[in-house]
């Protein structure tokens, strides 16, 4: 299996020294989607728009964000053909959080910081939910000594992904046009503006609670930030809520590892595998290779 796609070289970098600074492009994008939704979603409400919003939001987050960007592109927990790779990642672009390289940068920098003995609250999610959401939706972290991120050539040299990175915001026009033709401005507001904001804010809200109140069964050695599992949210979060499992076994395409831990993202990958479309599907490494973990025993999930 290909080694992880993103690689952080820490060197003399510090995950503590630095500060959140306003990112005008991020603030304008997320703020614009929010303002448009607040202004027009209510007046333009229809039951068909609501149904389309729920279906498109869930499908794109499941197939694009959880499977395409997170399990495939970032962690490389399975392999597949180049056309299927591009299709899954494109669905992730349509979620509207960031471009493919931007997602890698956000994820890998945060993961590196959390696995250090100490890190800034921006990465640890230890402030209030309101402040944390403001930071993640409108700010970037300005390091005093930044780490170096290298994206492997399999992705970095792909002209399609480079194009996606340059133009990812513009691709909301792809769903906007058919939405307008089918349901008018109601579908555009609910299917683009509200969907993008809810997807992005929802992602960071789940991320926040997955790191509060603390560890579940698995504790990663020397990591300043331990993750939680969130019982009862597996179906809603595509399996991403089993974040304690994920911190322990990032190589696994399956995140919901215990009985009762619903994991729709894994069901999708498993379906691809059974169809012969996904290969080298990762599972948790054996007990003999878990020197970096403490097993605190079952029943330690957050409640």
């Amino acid at each position: 299996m290909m080694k992880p796609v993103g690689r952080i070289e820490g060197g003399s970098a510090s995950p503590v020294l630095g500060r959140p600074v306003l990112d005008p492009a991020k603030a304008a994008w997320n703020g614009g989607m929010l303002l448009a939704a607040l202004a027009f979603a209510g007046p333009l409400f229809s039951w068909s728009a609501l149904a389309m919003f729920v279906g498109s939001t869930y499908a794109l987050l499941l197939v694009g964000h959880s499977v395409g960007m997170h399990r495939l592109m970032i962690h490389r927990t399975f392999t597949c053909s180049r056309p299927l790779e591009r299709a899954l990642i494109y669905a992730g672009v349509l979620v509207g959080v960031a471009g493919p390289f931007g997602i890698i940068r956000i994820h890998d920098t945060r993961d590196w910081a959390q696995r250090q003995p100490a890190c800034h609250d921006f990465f640890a999610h230890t402030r209030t939910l309101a402040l944390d959401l403001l930071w993640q939706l409108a700010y970037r972290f300005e390091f005093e000594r930044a780490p170096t991120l290298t994206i492997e050539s399999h992705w970095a040299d792909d002209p399609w992904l480079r194009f996606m990175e340059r133009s990812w915001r513009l691709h909301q026009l792809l769903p906007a046009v058919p939405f307008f033709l089918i349901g008018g401005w109601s579908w555009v507001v609910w299917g683009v503006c509200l969907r993008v904001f809810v997807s992005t804010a929802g992602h960071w809200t789940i991320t926040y609670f997955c790191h509060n109140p603390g560890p579940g069964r698995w504790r990663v050695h020397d990591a300043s930030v331990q993750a939680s599992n969130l019982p009862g949210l597996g179906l809603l979060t595509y399996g991403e809520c089993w974040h304690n499992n994920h911190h322990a076994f990032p190589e696994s395409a399956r995140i919901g590892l215990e009985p009762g831990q619903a994991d729709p993202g894994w069901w999708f990958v498993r379906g691809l595998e059974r169809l012969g479309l996904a290969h080298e599907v990762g599972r948790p490494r054996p007990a003999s290779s878990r020197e970096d973990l403490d097993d605190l025993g079952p029943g330690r999930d957050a409640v």
Side-chain angles (χ1 to χ4, degrees):
M1 182 175 295
M2 182 182 294
K3 61 183 178 179
V5 61
R7 185 177 70 252
I8 289 282
E9 295 291 345
S12 62
S14 170
V16 177
L17 299 178
R19 62 191 179 94
V21 298
L22 184 67
D23 185 322
K26 182 190 290 188
W29 176 252
N30 291 316
M33 293 294 177
L34 173 60
L35 290 175
L38 290 174
F40 300 113
L44 294 174
F45 171 80
S46 69
W47 290 109
S48 64
L50 175 62
M52 177 275 304
F53 161 75
V54 172
S56 62
T57 300
Y58 194 90
L60 287 174
L61 281 168
L62 169 62
V63 176
H65 190 77
S66 181
V67 174
M69 285 191 159
H70 191 205
R71 306 188 202 212
L72 170 63
M73 186 179 66
I74 291 173
H75 289 289
R76 202 56 167 158
T77 63
F78 67 96
T79 61
C80 60
S81 68
R82 180 74 83 174
L84 182 55
E85 283 180 351
R86 289 173 170 173
L88 293 172
I89 294 169
Y90 189 65
V93 168
L94 291 179
V95 171
V97 176
F101 302 157
I103 288 289
I104 292 173
R105 186 176 301 107
I106 291 168
H107 179 280
D108 280 28
T109 303
R110 187 172 309 273
D111 185 69
W112 166 78
Q114 290 178 349
R115 291 175 184 270
Q116 305 307 305
C119 71
H120 193 279
D121 291 344
F122 182 86
F123 303 113
H125 307 285
T126 50
R127 298 295 186 92
T128 64
L129 175 60
L131 179 58
D132 196 71
L133 279 177
L134 177 64
W135 277 353
Q136 310 308 331
L137 294 174
Y139 284 68
R140 60 180 172 81
F141 192 78
E142 188 173 86
F143 287 96
E144 290 188 15
R145 299 195 304 270
T148 300
L149 172 68
T150 301
I151 299 176
E152 294 192 20
S153 60
H154 179 84
W155 305 114
D157 295 342
D158 185 337
W160 172 251
L161 294 187
R162 295 205 304 269
F163 172 64
M164 288 295 99
E165 183 64 22
R166 293 192 301 268
S167 61
W168 63 272
R169 292 182 178 91
L170 297 176
H171 290 269
Q172 294 305 323
L173 293 172
L174 181 71
V177 171
F179 285 169
F180 179 77
L181 294 175
I182 296 170
W185 288 111
S186 174
W187 275 41
V188 173
V189 171
W190 280 77
V192 176
C193 302
L194 185 61
R195 173 184 57 77
V196 168
F197 182 78
V198 168
S199 297
T200 306
H203 164 76
W204 289 116
T205 299
I206 293 299
T207 297
Y208 179 86
F209 286 109
C210 279
H211 296 96
N212 293 283
R217 174 172 182 171
W218 304 100
R219 183 183 296 274
V220 180
H221 292 178
D222 302 323
S224 60
V225 179
Q226 302 290 334
S228 305
N229 289 332
L230 303 179
L233 296 180
L235 291 175
L236 180 65
T237 65
Y238 334 101
E240 297 287 339
C241 67
W242 312 117
H243 211 60
N244 180 254
N245 299 346
H246 178 60
H247 270 222
F249 306 106
E251 72 280 1
S252 177
R254 182 178 183 179
I255 301 177
L257 301 177
E258 303 293 338
Q261 292 183 344
D263 187 354
W266 163 246
W267 301 339
F268 189 89
V269 175
R270 185 71 174 122
L272 293 177
E273 184 181 36
R274 288 173 173 169
L275 291 172
L277 299 175
H279 313 282
E280 300 180 272
V281 177
R283 269 77 169 179
R285 60 193 181 278
S288 59
S289 301
R290 300 177 184 176
E291 298 86 356
D292 59 323
L293 299 176
D294 288 327
D295 185 352
L296 304 181
R300 291 294 301 265
D301 292 344
V303 296

